[in-house]
Amino acid sequence: MNMQTIESFLSTTLTELAIKIAAAIAFWIIGRWLIGKVVSVMQAAMNRSAVDPTLTKYLGSIVAIALNITLVLGILGYFGIQTTSFAAMLAGAGVAIGAAWSGMLGNFAAGAFMLVLRPFKVGDFVQIGGTVGTIHELGLFGTAIITPDNVLTLIGNTKIFAENIVNYSARPVRRVERTAQLAGSVDPLDAIARFKAAVAQIPHVATSPAPEVNLLDINLVGCVISVRPYCHTDHYWQVYFDTNEMMVRVCQEAGWPAPTPAQIVKTMAVA
């Protein structure tokens, strides 16, 4: 074999390899562009059909991952690599990774169940995983919520299903629980009438169901009145604070004395 033959062989081989590499790069760029378009069209169609945003994003991620794997296998096949053996190797690697990342896979499975059961959606005010806040995003492995003090918190989906889920936004209104301790000299029926009239004037208090004002308890100090207005979750804390201010204002306007514990003093006569 002379040098001319070797040079011709190398030239031909390198030329074919360069063409294949260029074609593979072109396939990758075009394929990624097409995948982005497919996912965008799919998500746009789901949005037009008023599908839940959480489900739309979740399915879009799954489709994108599946199409990217298909694209990689297609490029490898173009280079003449046996994709069956590669798929077997990928499956073996998946088993090993799955064993190491069992917790992550558990979070993934829990996320899939959340899409089916739909215990909450983006924007709901909930208590999950021991944390209270507003649902910001439901991801493949974790759910992001924003707490009332404006802190972004990520909770693993497995932890969410391991504990109770409280959805404060599931119902149109929720109840505010407050109590007023009165002095023993205050007429409880008069107090109930005054509180009922005042609580109805608080902004954002729902009319249906109507606020509940009742005689809750009687103790050594006097009567305890429960004041329970209903409101939307978005206005819960404002109504909570306004109810406290209303009770103080009513007590001051009525001139009721401050509640103090009753004391009985016994004296013994000295013979």
Side-chain angles (χ1 to χ4, degrees):
M1 182 179 294
N2 54 29
M3 291 299 298
Q4 186 176 1
T5 305
I6 295 175
E7 290 178 359
S8 176
F9 173 77
L10 291 176
S11 176
T12 303
T13 304
L14 291 176
T15 301
E16 292 179 355
L17 181 61
I19 293 174
K20 286 188 175 182
I21 292 175
I25 293 174
F27 289 157
W28 174 257
I29 295 174
I30 296 173
R32 290 281 296 173
W33 180 80
L34 289 175
I35 289 172
K37 286 294 184 182
V38 169
V39 173
S40 297
V41 170
M42 184 193 73
Q43 292 180 335
M46 295 178 71
N47 290 331
R48 285 194 298 271
S49 301
V51 178
D52 188 272
T54 300
L55 180 60
T56 300
K57 186 171 183 179
Y58 198 86
L59 292 179
S61 299
I62 294 176
V63 171
I65 292 172
L67 292 178
N68 275 293
I69 293 175
T70 303
L71 177 62
V72 170
L73 292 177
I75 293 174
L76 292 175
Y78 173 76
F79 273 96
I81 299 175
Q82 294 295 327
T83 55
T84 54
S85 59
F86 179 79
M89 181 181 67
L90 186 62
V95 173
I97 294 173
W101 289 1
S102 57
M104 296 292 288
L105 293 178
N107 287 329
F108 182 86
F113 276 112
M114 277 196 290
L115 290 177
V116 176
L117 301 178
R118 304 283 294 279
F120 49 75
K121 63 182 183 300
V122 173
D124 283 355
F125 188 74
V126 299
Q127 179 178 344
I128 56 175
T131 304
V132 176
T134 302
I135 299 295
H136 177 67
E137 181 181 3
L138 198 159
L140 293 175
F141 302 100
T143 297
I145 70 172
I146 299 177
T147 58
D149 54 346
N150 202 32
V151 176
L152 180 65
T153 305
L154 185 63
I155 304 174
N157 291 333
T158 303
K159 183 176 177 60
I160 294 174
F161 271 98
E163 301 180 10
N164 293 334
I165 298 175
V166 181
N167 190 340
Y168 296 103
S169 300
R171 305 291 297 166
V173 294
R174 59 182 295 198
R175 190 172 68 185
V176 177
E177 299 274 350
R178 303 307 300 138
T179 59
Q181 174 68 65
L182 304 179
S185 60
V186 177
D187 181 5
L189 299 182
D190 178 53
I192 290 174
R194 289 174 181 267
F195 284 145
K196 278 187 177 180
V199 73
Q201 303 302 316
I202 297 177
H204 306 301
V205 170
T207 56
S208 180
E212 302 172 4
V213 182
N214 299 289
L215 178 60
L216 180 65
D217 195 11
I218 302 174
N219 52 37
L220 294 177
V221 178
C223 295
V224 180
I225 307 298
S226 66
V227 182
R228 298 170 176 172
Y230 291 83
C231 65
H232 191 274
T233 299
D234 293 345
H235 305 129
Y236 176 85
W237 285 111
Q238 188 58 54
V239 171
Y240 183 99
F241 299 137
D242 289 345
T243 302
N244 287 340
E245 295 176 4
M246 176 275 296
M247 292 188 296
V248 171
R249 184 174 61 255
V250 168
C251 292
Q252 291 176 342
E253 292 175 353
W256 294 332
T260 55
Q263 295 182 350
I264 300 176
V265 181
K266 293 184 178 180
T267 59
M268 298 182 65
V270 179

